[in-house]
Each structure stands twice: as C-alpha cells, then as structure tokens.
Amino acid sequence: MHLYDYAKSLVLEAGNHLRQWMTETLDIETKSNPNDLVTNVDKAVEQFLVDQITSTYPQHQIIGEEGHGHDVTALEGVTWVIDPIDGTLNFVHQSANFAISVGVFKDGKPYAGFVYDVMADTLYHAKAGFGAYKNEQLLEPIEDTNLAQSIVGMNANWLAGKKISPVLTPIIQDSRSARAYGSAALEIVHVATGQLAAYITPRLQPWDFAGGMIILNEVGGIATNFIGKPLEITHPDSVIVANKAVHETILNDYMMPNYDFLAPWHKNYKQ
Ligand code: 2AM
Ligand code: CA
C-alpha cells in the first residue's frame, strides 16, 4: 500500500480504538505541572501507532509526544511526528475537541499531514503538493484578510499576567476578536479552512504543529516562529500561523518591534 494511504488508514483506525478505549477506565496522571495531564489513552494510542508503523516500516523514525524519539536530530529517511491526543485537557474535561495529529516527513521535508478531530469524525489531510482535504472535500486556497476584520486564535492563559502579554495583547486588541480551542492541531487546521485568520502561541512542541503545518502549506498559509524563522520538527518553537497578509502584519507590525525581547525568549527552547 502507498505510504499516504497507509498513514491515512492508520490514523482512522487509531481514532476507532480511541473512541472505544475512552469508554473504559481513564487513568489520569500529571506530567510537568498539575495542569499538564496525560492519560492511559494518550499512551495507548501512541503505542498503537508506534507498534503498527514499526512492524510495517522498521526503518522509519518516530517522534511522539508520550516518549518516543525525543532525541531524534537527523532526519534522513522517513520520520513520523505523532501527537496521540492533541488537546488532552479537552479530552479529559469535554470528551471532545481533541485530535490525533500525524506529520510524515521524507528527509526532513513535508510529505503528508493528518489532523483527525476524533469525536467529530473529521479528518483533515494533505499530501504535499496535492492539496488539502477536509474529509473528501478539497480545501480552497485561503484568502488574505485585514487584522481588523480577523478572528485570531490564542489561548487566554498567555494574556493573563504572563511576561509575554505586552507583545500579544495589542494583536488581540487590533483584531476583530479572539478564540481559543485548546488543541493547537485543530487551531492550525481552522486557519487552513479560513475559520481563523491566524493562530498565535508562544510555545509548541513539534508534534503539536507537524501535521497541521503540512495541511496549512497546501492552502497557501504561512507558518513561522515569532521572529519569522521556519518551524522545524527537531525542536519546540513559538508559532504564528496565518493567511499571508495577516501573517505579514503580525510579524512586521507586532513581533519585529519587540525583537530584543523575543529573541532571547527562544534561546531556552533548544535544550
Ligand atoms: P496537548 O494537549 O497535547 O498538551 C493548548 O493550548 C494547546 O497547546 C494544546 O495543543 C496543547 O497540547 C498545547 N500545549 C499546552 N501546553 C504546552 C506547552 N507547555 N508546550 C507545548 N505545547 C503545549
Ligand atoms: Ca499536543
């Protein structure tokens, strides 16, 4: 079977298991802090994906949120970047609004992206160079907007007294309104469908953005960090994803004037 078709079937199969497993016992643990949760289902979905991929393609590399391949630096061959549940807090508190996110890279270059909104049964998918789809529907290229007429995705926690709020608050003030969905992968595909004009967040891991970024590329969306550098799957980064015009406005008018504050912000990302 073709790698793209294999990956697409695998993501859907993982979603089927997930819907079944979430009806069984849920064990919740904390990770880095009391609000950073992981469940037995996150771990089981990642293990399922890893077991399937390694038995089919033993030579492929896998980077996964729940422990696989965090030390991967060389990107020769095929690399899968997996988040078994993006939006774990939504999974735990809402039993909805979370996604399985998978990005597949060949020699470090985007090959295919999948973001599966499991409870809505909506699969966003793209093979690089062949367009992006929401289920069977081809997505149109996204249109430019003005920030003043744009809805911007941003998690309100970043605005609530955090050091970076002086940089981010003016963007929200100058936009039409802000929204927060709680799953970076879903917010990125909402930019790809045009439902959001931008999604901005000061820190994401590669598995949060890898799948969505490949889908976004296919509809002409732009993804960089806060100082205009491309996102890479070997390290975490700040993220601006947006249509071309809004991306340019956010980067040039709001981020670059704060360059001296923002450049050191990224230093401790490469640990
Ligand atoms: P998660 O659910 O897999 O943890 C919430 O705003 C979004 O940001 C989710 O996609 C969440 O992923 C991600 N996220 C939350 N805290 C994060 C952190 N400290 N670093 C990177 N990503 C984070
Ligand atoms: Ca995640």
Side-chain angles (χ1 to χ4, degrees), residues 191-214:
V191 175
T193 61
Q195 288 168 298
L196 288 175
Y199 169 61
I200 303 168
T201 192
R203 186 182 172 93
L204 286 184
Q205 298 289 343
W207 42 82
D208 298 319
F209 61 70
M213 185 179 82
I214 296 172

Side-chain angles (χ1 to χ4, degrees), residues 11-215:
V11 170
L12 292 170
E13 202 183 336
N16 283 337
H17 285 302
L18 200 164
R19 282 188 293 265
Q20 173 58 37
W21 293 335
M22 66 190 280
T23 66
E24 299 163 10
T25 314
L26 196 61
D27 297 323
I28 303 168
E29 291 168 31
T30 57
K31 294 203 284 184
S32 62
N33 67 63
N35 300 326
D36 186 11
L37 305 183
V38 62
T39 74
N40 55 324
V41 180
D42 296 62
K43 292 177 184 174
V45 173
E46 181 160 317
Q47 197 58 52
F48 169 76
L49 291 167
V50 170
D51 288 346
Q52 295 292 317
I53 296 161
T54 44
S55 70
T56 312
Y57 300 108
Q59 70 283 22
H60 289 188
Q61 298 195 96
I62 305 170
I63 302 172
E65 172 157 21
E66 306 312 337
H68 292 89
H70 286 200
D71 48 0
V72 168
T73 48
L75 298 177
E76 283 96 45
V78 176
T79 305
W80 297 65
V81 185
I82 290 173
D83 194 342
I85 300 186
D86 184 56
T88 300
L89 290 182
N90 289 353
F91 173 69
V92 169
H93 288 262
Q94 304 176 344
S95 300
N97 307 318
F98 58 87
I100 298 173
S101 175
V102 173
V104 186
F105 296 78
K106 283 189 173 172
D107 295 326
K109 289 194 287 291
Y111 168 71
F114 305 88
V115 173
Y116 185 33
D117 181 338
V118 175
M119 302 315 285
D121 191 22
T122 301
L123 179 67
Y124 301 87
H125 55 109
K127 184 174 169 194
F130 293 88
Y133 291 81
K134 176 181 178 180
N135 292 327
E136 304 310 317
Q137 178 203 341
L138 179 68
L139 297 179
E140 299 293 325
I142 47 177
E143 290 177 11
D144 284 341
T145 55
N146 296 317
L147 183 59
Q149 292 160 336
S150 290
I151 296 184
V152 173
M154 188 183 296
N155 187 330
N157 296 316
W158 293 110
L159 301 175
K162 293 273 165 52
K163 268 169 68 178
I164 202 156
S165 65
V167 178
L168 300 180
T169 301
I171 304 172
I172 300 304
Q173 284 168 332
D174 294 349
S175 73
R176 176 162 276 166
S177 193
R179 293 287 182 274
Y181 295 88
S183 156
L186 288 175
E187 303 202 59
I188 296 168
V189 296
H190 289 332
V191 175
T193 61
Q195 288 168 298
L196 288 175
Y199 169 61
I200 303 168
T201 192
R203 186 182 172 93
L204 286 184
Q205 298 289 343
W207 42 82
D208 298 319
F209 61 70
M213 185 179 82
I214 296 172
I215 294 164

Side-chain angles (χ1 to χ4, degrees), residues 63 70 72 81 201-210 224-226 229-239 265-271:
I63 302 172
H70 286 200
V72 168
V81 185
T201 192
R203 186 182 172 93
L204 286 184
Q205 298 289 343
W207 42 82
D208 298 319
F209 61 70
T224 68
N225 73 4
F226 281 8
K229 300 262 162 46
L231 304 177
E232 292 169 8
I233 56 169
T234 45
H235 59 87
D237 216 334
S238 58
V239 171
W265 174 273
H266 297 83
K267 287 227 173 80
N268 38 5
Y269 283 11
K270 296 200 183 189
Q271 287 159 354

